[in-house]
Amino acid sequence: MNVDLRRAGVLDEDNSKEINNIEMSVRIEYNSYIEELLHLNKAQGLTWLLQATCRNTHLSLIHDSFCRIKLLDNILKKGEIVDRVFVDSASLKSACKQIIIINNSSATISFKRPLSFNYYFFNIIKSFIYICYSYFVPKIISGKDNPVGPIIYLDNFIFTNSFNQDGSLVDRYYPGLLDGVNKKIKDKIWHVPTLIGVRTLSQYISIFKSIRKCKSNFLLKEDFLTIGDYIEAFKISMTLSNSIEKFPKWNNIDVSDVINIELSSEKGSPALMNTILMHIFIKRLCKSKIDISMVIDWNENQVIDRAINLGFRKYYPGVKIKGYQGYVVPDYYACKDPTCYEVIAGTIPHEICVIGETFIESKKKYCKEIKVSIAPAFRFSGIHKVKKQNNTHNNVLVILPISIKDSKDIILMCNKFSKLTNGKFRLILKHHPSYTFKKFTKLLPESLYPCFEMSEEPVHDLLTDCIMLISSWSSVCLEAAVLNIPVAISGSLSGPSMNPLYGLKEIKMWRLCYNETALLNFIESNLYHSKININKYFIPVTTSTINDFINN
């Protein structure tokens, strides 16, 4: 047999289930490995801002590589005869070669080396452009306002489409927050945005014009940083990865190549530089005597969150940091759940705020000592207004994740499902909001198959009249589940599946489906509908809950 460990490859269904089953135990080992890596290298300060140390499994491929290495080891330990192993990186090839030798296997490794890629050259070019845009555009489009009196620092994110035509802010992260506080508190809240998806000069000009015209309070790091700060951050980004010199083994396997490739790719990168600049920005705020009474960090425990927490603990040691986790994602996203070694290092907020009491205990799974409280589910306020109807249209809602590959897998499975059922079900397709219709259909022309109806309606309107949801990754899986809508999670055939419902004890109406037959069996099964208290999963957004969040 052949085993395809490439990230764009295809595993057979048994091995797809196997890699999904082992992911949780590998994740625990991965957490411990990162702790040992940091301890061995006596990590301190800005070293914690390296992606390789962060456990962000969206960007770091270390955990993913460990899962693939473990899968191969399990297959060989079962005594299965493997002829060839396909990999897509030299680092994975090195680790798999060790596994093959340990298991006395005669398997060969197939690896097509890609064209050489000079990370340093491209990172330097991108960082130079980033410096030019970030430093000069805000100086040309000026309008800096310094706050007077103590403020609440609100960590936020701005996209190219984050402003309405009237100039008002479209807040995707805390919608309704400002509506629930009085004017005095509202005037104290200052948005501190990270720019997302802003790449071209015209986008920079447009976004800064919008920010300057907007009536909301904005505190921009670009208004405080000097050209010297940018140069300093770039220099640090070129050498910071050198602080990781020693690499512990993982399950007696030398995985130094897996770590090194990530460290190398970060040298001089604008992403790392931006993270370092966030830390420097907080120092600039302190030197400018900006009075900050509280910090609300949109916390995913990514490197940018680490920069915020390390910076405020150093320059504003008496200020409370609240980490608001206003999202529902699979546990595969390891960094969302803090570890004790991160708490000790000071990279975690003083308090983590989750959007439902159900998530309190699971948030402590790796560290019982962290303080966890509940806060309004700002992004999910619409779930309390959904009135479920008796579906008479056989509507099946298909919500696609941001990943194009995962979206394609779902679309192809649903197309086969439609053919299997002779078009009995109405498949309503909704792409991820990060894409326009034009861009998405260009990337995935399969979405235009005649079995699909593309919809631009709000998700909560679509949930009122459907008999099943098909998705993965998305928080809408939980929204559907608490409304007693059966949820089919698309099983991945190229790695661990992204199931945001796994581990939620009261949520039972879901199934991991790897093919169209499994979808049909699920939709035809007799499911037990239980009454679910939505408030346990999504705290309502009210004046009372908002003020408790802001004032306590």
Side-chain angles (χ1 to χ4, degrees), residues 286-297:
C286 180
K287 287 189 174 182
S288 298
K289 297 186 174 7
I290 302 298
D291 188 359
I292 297 174
S293 60
M294 184 173 71
V295 176
I296 298 175
D297 167 30

Side-chain angles (χ1 to χ4, degrees), residues 49-56 59-60 62 262 266 272 303:
L49 305 187
L50 289 167
Q51 199 66 250
T53 70
C54 180
R55 302 187 300 122
N56 178 356
L59 296 178
S60 171
I62 298 172
E262 292 212 0
E266 282 200 271
L272 177 55
V303 288

Side-chain angles (χ1 to χ4, degrees), residues 126-134 204 221 270 273-274 277:
K126 288 189 291 185
S127 291
F128 175 75
I129 294 171
Y130 170 73
I131 291 172
C132 289
Y133 290 172
S134 296
Y204 269 87
K221 73 176 186 294
M273 189 172 69
N274 184 53
L277 285 170

Side-chain angles (χ1 to χ4, degrees), residues 4 39 48 61 109 112 123 126 133 181 237 242 293 330 393 400 485:
D4 192 346
H39 176 74
W48 287 83
L61 295 177
I109 299 178
K112 185 177 180 181
N123 282 345
K126 288 189 291 185
Y133 290 172
V181 296
S237 72
N242 297 338
S293 60
H393 303 106
L400 299 176
I485 299 170

Side-chain angles (χ1 to χ4, degrees), residues 20 52 122-123 146 148 177 185 206 227 242 248 252 277 301 313 328 351 366 373-374 402 406 423 428 501 538 545:
N20 192 60
F122 284 99
N123 282 345
N146 273 355
V148 177
L177 168 63
I185 297 296
S206 175
I227 191 65
N242 297 338
N252 292 320
L277 285 170
N301 197 15
R313 286 176 182 272
V328 178
E351 179 180 353
Y366 303 134
S373 62
I374 55 175
I402 192 170
D406 291 338
I428 301 173
L501 302 181
F538 301 110
T545 59

Side-chain angles (χ1 to χ4, degrees), residues 47-297:
T47 300
W48 287 83
L49 305 187
L50 289 167
Q51 199 66 250
T53 70
C54 180
R55 302 187 300 122
N56 178 356
T57 51
H58 284 181
L59 296 178
S60 171
L61 295 177
I62 298 172
H63 174 49
D64 179 84
S65 296
F66 284 4
C67 287
R68 295 173 194 279
I69 296 165
K70 184 67 173 178
L71 173 65
L72 178 62
D73 189 41
N74 283 4
I75 291 171
L76 294 176
K77 275 184 167 53
K78 290 176 184 175
E80 297 189 34
I81 305 300
V82 176
D83 300 310
R84 182 174 294 184
V85 179
F86 292 90
V87 297
D88 53 9
S89 69
S91 58
L92 199 55
K93 177 183 177 182
S94 171
C96 288
K97 187 175 181 180
Q98 296 174 65
I99 291 292
I100 289 169
I101 292 172
I102 290 172
N103 285 280
N104 296 316
S105 171
S106 59
T108 59
I109 299 178
S110 179
F111 169 55
K112 185 177 180 181
R113 186 175 295 277
L115 295 174
S116 59
F117 186 81
N118 192 320
Y119 289 111
Y120 309 126
F121 175 75
F122 284 99
N123 282 345
I124 289 170
I125 295 297
K126 288 189 291 185
S127 291
F128 175 75
I129 294 171
Y130 170 73
I131 291 172
C132 289
Y133 290 172
S134 296
Y135 180 74
F136 289 108
V137 171
K139 301 296 182 289
I140 296 169
I141 306 171
S142 58
K144 171 185 173 184
D145 289 325
N146 273 355
V148 177
I151 67 166
I152 296 173
Y153 177 113
L154 185 67
D155 177 41
N156 212 330
F157 300 85
I158 296 293
F159 300 80
T160 54
N161 59 350
S162 287
F163 295 91
N164 290 315
Q165 289 185 342
D166 63 2
S168 60
L169 174 66
V170 179
D171 191 347
R172 298 185 185 179
Y173 289 80
Y174 311 91
L177 168 63
L178 297 182
D179 298 329
V181 296
N182 60 42
K183 187 178 186 304
K184 184 179 178 181
I185 297 296
K186 186 175 181 178
D187 290 342
K188 288 178 62 176
I189 297 174
W190 285 66
H191 299 274
V192 187
T194 296
L195 305 184
I196 303 294
V198 182
R199 296 183 178 88
T200 66
L201 178 58
S202 62
Q203 288 175 331
Y204 269 87
I205 292 172
S206 175
I207 207 80
F208 276 96
K209 281 183 177 179
S210 297
I211 289 173
R212 300 305 190 198
K213 291 177 182 177
C214 186
K215 293 181 180 179
S216 299
N217 296 326
F218 282 99
L219 197 64
L220 304 179
K221 73 176 186 294
E222 291 83 0
D223 285 335
F224 288 83
L225 296 171
T226 68
I227 191 65
D229 293 332
Y230 284 95
I231 294 171
E232 178 189 357
F234 176 71
K235 286 180 178 178
I236 295 172
S237 72
M238 288 294 292
T239 59
L240 188 59
S241 60
N242 297 338
S243 59
I244 304 294
E245 298 176 324
K246 301 175 182 178
F247 305 94
K249 288 189 173 182
W250 176 70
N251 288 342
N252 292 320
I253 302 296
D254 179 1
V255 291
S256 57
D257 287 345
V258 175
I259 314 300
N260 259 323
I261 191 67
E262 292 212 0
L263 294 172
S264 298
S265 68
E266 282 200 271
K267 285 183 181 288
S269 73
L272 177 55
M273 189 172 69
N274 184 53
T275 303
I276 296 166
L277 285 170
M278 179 60 76
H279 191 270
I280 296 173
F281 164 58
I282 296 167
K283 179 175 71 173
R284 288 288 173 208
L285 290 178
C286 180
K287 287 189 174 182
S288 298
K289 297 186 174 7
I290 302 298
D291 188 359
I292 297 174
S293 60
M294 184 173 71
V295 176
I296 298 175
D297 167 30

Side-chain angles (χ1 to χ4, degrees), residues 483-512:
L483 294 171
N484 272 313
I485 299 170
V487 180
I489 306 292
S490 173
S492 173
L493 292 174
S494 57
S497 297
M498 300 301 147
N499 182 2
L501 302 181
Y502 183 82
L504 298 176
K505 295 178 181 178
E506 286 186 334
I507 307 298
K508 303 183 185 302
M509 290 205 310
W510 64 267
R511 186 173 298 173
L512 200 56

